[in-house]
């Protein structure tokens, strides 16, 4: 199952909080756009609730990640984290578990 780092969970919480409220609503949803031997293209969206059939991963802080079935299979052995670029912008990143 996809693992979510504390930093990624905080970023998801910030994305899903509305109007400065402490309570986050919704989650981050991954779906598979295409897949081949070289890898996969994933679509990422902030959404209020999972779609039917989605697997739900809940981080320790309560942040939710929704995984479309094919995306869940692809991300099963991955860790979701965040990285910051030189301009201070944050982006989600995936890495193999155990690395």
């Amino acid at each position: 199952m996809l693992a979510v780092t504390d930093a990624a969970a905080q970023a998801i919480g910030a994305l899903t909080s509305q109007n400065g409220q402490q309570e986050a609503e919704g989650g981050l949803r991954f779906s598979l756009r295409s897949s081949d031997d070289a890898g996969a293209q994933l679509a990422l969206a902030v959404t209020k609730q999972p779609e039917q059939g989605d697997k739900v991963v809940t981080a320790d802080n309560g942040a939710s990640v929704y995984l479309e079935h094919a995306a869940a299979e692809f991300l099963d052995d991955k860790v979701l984290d965040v990285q910051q670029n030189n301009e201070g912008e944050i982006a989600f990143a995936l890495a193999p578990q155990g690395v």
Side-chain angles (χ1 to χ4, degrees), residues 2-9 12 28 30 44 65 78-82 92-95 97:
L2 177 71
V4 180
T5 66
D6 289 340
I12 294 166
L28 195 64
F30 283 94
L44 186 61
V65 178
K78 307 285 188 292
V79 176
L80 179 64
D81 199 3
V82 291
F92 288 100
L94 292 167
Q97 287 185 18

Side-chain angles (χ1 to χ4, degrees), residues 3-18 21-30 44-47 57 59-65 80-84 88-93:
V4 180
T5 66
D6 289 340
Q10 289 175 3
I12 294 166
L15 283 173
T16 57
S17 294
Q18 296 181 8
Q21 297 174 355
Q22 295 283 23
E23 193 76 20
E25 181 179 321
L28 195 64
R29 183 173 191 271
F30 283 94
L44 186 61
V46 176
T47 184
V57 176
D60 290 341
N61 75 344
S64 296
V65 178
L80 179 64
D81 199 3
V82 291
Q83 296 178 340
Q84 192 170 10
E89 297 171 333
I90 292 178
F92 288 100

Side-chain angles (χ1 to χ4, degrees), residues 13 19 37 52 61 64 68 71:
N19 301 324
D37 292 340
Q52 187 172 352
N61 75 344
S64 296
E68 177 258 342

Side-chain angles (χ1 to χ4, degrees), residues 31-43 68-75 78:
S31 57
L32 191 64
R33 292 173 68 182
S34 66
S35 177
D36 60 28
D37 292 340
Q41 287 188 350
L42 297 167
E68 177 258 342
H69 178 72
E73 289 181 5
F74 178 76
L75 297 171
K78 307 285 188 292

